[in-house]
Amino acid sequence: MGKNLTFQIGIGMALGLLLGVVLNAMLGSDPAAAKDVAGYFHLLADVFLHLIKMIIAPLVFATLVAGIAHMHDSATLGRIGGRAIAWFILAAFISLSIGMIFANVLQPGAGIGLVAQGKESGVDTTALNLRDFVLHVFPTSMVDAMAQNSVLQIVVFSLFIGVALTAIGEKGKPIVTLVESIVELMLQVTGYVMRFAPVAVFGAICSVITERGLGVLLDFGKLLGSFYLALFTLWVVLALVGYIFLGRRMTHLIKQIRSPLLIAFSTASSEAVYPKMLEQLDRFGVPRRISSFVLPLGYSFNLDGSMMYAAFATLFIAQAYGVDLSIGTQITILLVLMVTSKGIAAVPRASLVVVAATLSQFNLPVEGVAFILAVDHFMDMGRTMTNVIGNAIATSVVTKWEGMLEVEEPEEVDLPHAPSHTAAAGKAGLDLAPDMVDDERGKA
């Protein structure tokens, strides 16, 4: 599922864009009809997302439990977790800083001249509080956590199961074998589901353009242009920091994840690429026992694109309403976002909620959130893609940091099936041959 899938997704995006433009031209005068037609096209993407959500819970659980069971000691788990959190904090600071710098330099909201009228933003910010977030981390029921696809709760439960399996030793081997079989099974199912990705991408792009047209992009051109320029800068900075650790293999990583990036951009869903991301990190040389632990954590705590957006959008709205924020206030906002952005994975429409909560905390016009809703989907596409880039680099860097980055597998061109049982077993941590491991592993 390599170059072929990337090409097919690209074709799907192009066809969706063209048909969307045509349909918008035909139905643009009737917004209700355009919305109805767009809904039918988006059904293709919705079906794909439902199938992906069907995979995520058992895949996260099985891969994480199998990975922990093969680490053999909790010290290794703690060290990997500590290094991952250290990277997440660094990436958060970089992301928020770039968002604020570009908002100050480019001033995308200057001159808009909005007037605060005390209206509601339409976004519920009550979910964003420390107490609810802490409670959300710990599941009351594993069945409920899986039913809700609550990745963070699944991670917590899986950590307990994995560590317990390690503690009981031989008695737990049958369960470990079963879990490894579930990993194989879910990867095979992933192979089937990913064949539908190009069709889903076509439907998602066509739906958005049919309903909203390209005109909305022109109306908010300065905002979108400034935002994507900031995102591009963040990509470059993350890639450069990744290059420090990975060297020339950084370019290989980008090549491996190009299919997940296209899917993330077109569907604006990080969940849609989780199974494919695991598969591509396998091929890059990240052992499954590391990727199955770091990647789910990254989905909860390392949303680089969303964090950059939160800082950028907060200052944009302040500028649009003519509010001048001092450097001291902006630094305070950055520090607040460093904390609040860590809980956004548990909140629906998370980035907007964080922005609305931040505006409210600093007595800025919360109603400004409604102003950017018209183009939020287009910005969501970019920030979701950035989240995927950030988590791929984070997982790879932590692996290199551990001295466990393996030899990269040859890139697949055809689209016949999911990874072989032998390869997947190796990534899960089973008896890897010495010549399959990078020499630097001994330096851990």
Side-chain angles (χ1 to χ4, degrees):
M1 224 179 274
K3 294 180 179 178
N4 236 2
L5 181 61
T6 304
F7 177 75
Q8 291 171 13
I9 290 173
I11 293 296
M13 291 181 68
L15 292 177
L17 178 64
L18 290 174
L19 182 57
V21 170
V22 172
L23 291 175
N24 181 260
M26 295 171 58
L27 304 172
S29 58
D30 188 351
K35 185 175 182 179
D36 287 341
V37 172
Y40 284 108
F41 278 102
H42 204 277
L43 181 63
L44 298 172
D46 289 337
V47 169
F48 176 72
L49 291 175
H50 278 216
L51 292 173
I52 289 293
K53 289 179 180 181
M54 172 187 73
I55 297 170
I56 285 179
L59 186 60
V60 170
F61 172 75
T63 53
L64 186 51
V65 170
I68 294 172
H70 287 287
M71 286 184 185
H72 302 300
D73 67 281
S74 56
T76 301
L77 183 65
R79 186 176 64 248
I80 293 174
R83 288 175 171 177
I85 295 299
W87 175 272
F88 296 164
I89 293 173
L90 173 63
F93 180 78
I94 292 174
S95 302
L96 292 169
S97 298
I98 289 177
M100 287 194 161
I101 289 171
F102 272 80
N104 278 292
V105 172
L106 300 178
Q107 296 282 313
I112 293 180
L114 297 181
V115 178
Q117 299 177 359
K119 295 180 179 178
E120 295 293 331
S121 66
V123 178
D124 180 17
T125 62
T126 57
L128 193 71
N129 62 76
L130 180 60
R131 181 183 181 278
D132 289 344
F133 170 66
V134 172
L135 285 178
H136 176 83
V137 170
F138 301 97
T140 57
S141 165
M142 182 54 184
V143 174
D144 181 65
M146 285 195 161
Q148 300 296 326
N149 264 342
S150 179
V151 173
L152 197 52
Q153 292 186 1
I154 295 172
V155 168
V156 171
F157 183 82
S158 302
L159 284 173
F160 279 101
I161 297 297
V163 172
L165 283 174
T166 302
I168 64 177
E170 291 292 324
K171 294 180 180 179
K173 278 194 172 182
I175 299 178
V176 174
T177 302
L178 173 62
V179 170
E180 288 166 351
S181 297
I182 294 175
V183 173
E184 290 289 317
L185 176 63
M186 297 316 300
L187 286 176
Q188 189 66 39
V189 173
T190 297
Y192 300 148
V193 173
M194 292 310 299
R195 298 184 186 189
F196 191 64
V199 178
V201 167
F202 163 78
I205 295 294
C206 183
S207 172
V208 172
I209 301 302
T210 297
E211 182 177 358
R212 308 188 186 189
L214 294 176
V216 68
L217 300 180
L218 299 177
D219 295 339
F220 289 83
K222 186 176 181 180
L223 169 60
L224 289 172
S226 302
F227 177 68
Y228 273 90
L229 181 59
L231 276 184
F232 178 77
T233 304
L234 178 57
W235 300 343
V236 172
V237 172
L238 289 175
L240 289 175
V241 177
Y243 185 86
I244 294 174
F245 290 88
L246 301 174
R248 294 182 179 179
R249 290 193 65 175
M250 184 64 219
T251 57
H252 298 170
L253 175 63
I254 298 300
K255 290 180 181 178
Q256 287 286 5
I257 65 172
R258 60 182 182 271
S259 293
L261 291 181
L262 288 176
I263 295 172
F265 180 78
S266 55
T267 63
S269 169
S270 296
E271 285 184 336
V273 301
Y274 180 83
K276 183 64 178 174
M277 181 63 74
L278 272 181
E279 190 177 309
Q280 294 307 107
L281 289 174
D282 279 355
R283 296 199 175 105
F284 179 67
V286 176
R288 181 67 54 75
R289 57 188 177 279
I290 294 184
S291 62
S292 61
F293 177 49
V294 177
L295 199 57
L297 282 182
Y299 267 56
S300 298
F301 298 111
N302 189 45
L303 305 176
D304 299 330
S306 298
M307 287 184 286
M308 200 221 74
Y309 169 83
F312 186 91
T314 299
L315 295 192
F316 167 80
I317 291 173
Q319 293 167 5
Y321 283 90
V323 179
D324 185 28
L325 298 176
S326 67
I327 296 298
T329 301
Q330 292 188 38
I331 292 175
T332 305
I333 290 175
L334 185 148
L335 295 176
V336 168
L337 287 172
M338 281 284 290
V339 177
T340 58
S341 62
K342 296 308 177 190
I344 64 179
V347 182
R349 210 163 180 81
S351 299
L352 286 177
V353 173
V354 170
V355 172
T358 304
L359 291 170
S360 176
Q361 185 167 345
F362 288 87
N363 296 318
L364 296 171
V366 180
E367 64 199 69
V369 172
F371 179 72
I372 60 177
L373 278 177
V375 289
D376 181 68
H377 181 83
F378 296 100
M379 292 191 285
D380 195 14
M381 296 164 74
R383 64 182 183 246
T384 301
M385 183 178 177
T386 306
N387 293 341
V388 173
I389 293 175
N391 281 314
I393 295 174
T395 306
S396 302
V397 167
V398 170
T399 305
K400 184 72 172 182
W401 210 345
E402 283 289 306
M404 298 173 68
L405 190 61
E406 300 169 4
V407 176
E408 186 175 3
E409 293 180 11
E411 187 176 4
E412 293 184 6
V413 177
D414 297 319
L415 188 63
H417 50 68
S420 68
H421 295 289
T422 303
K427 299 302 178 186
L430 303 177
D431 298 327
L432 293 169
D435 55 32
M436 289 292 291
V437 184
D438 196 305
D439 289 338
E440 295 192 44
R441 181 170 182 172
K443 300 178 184 178

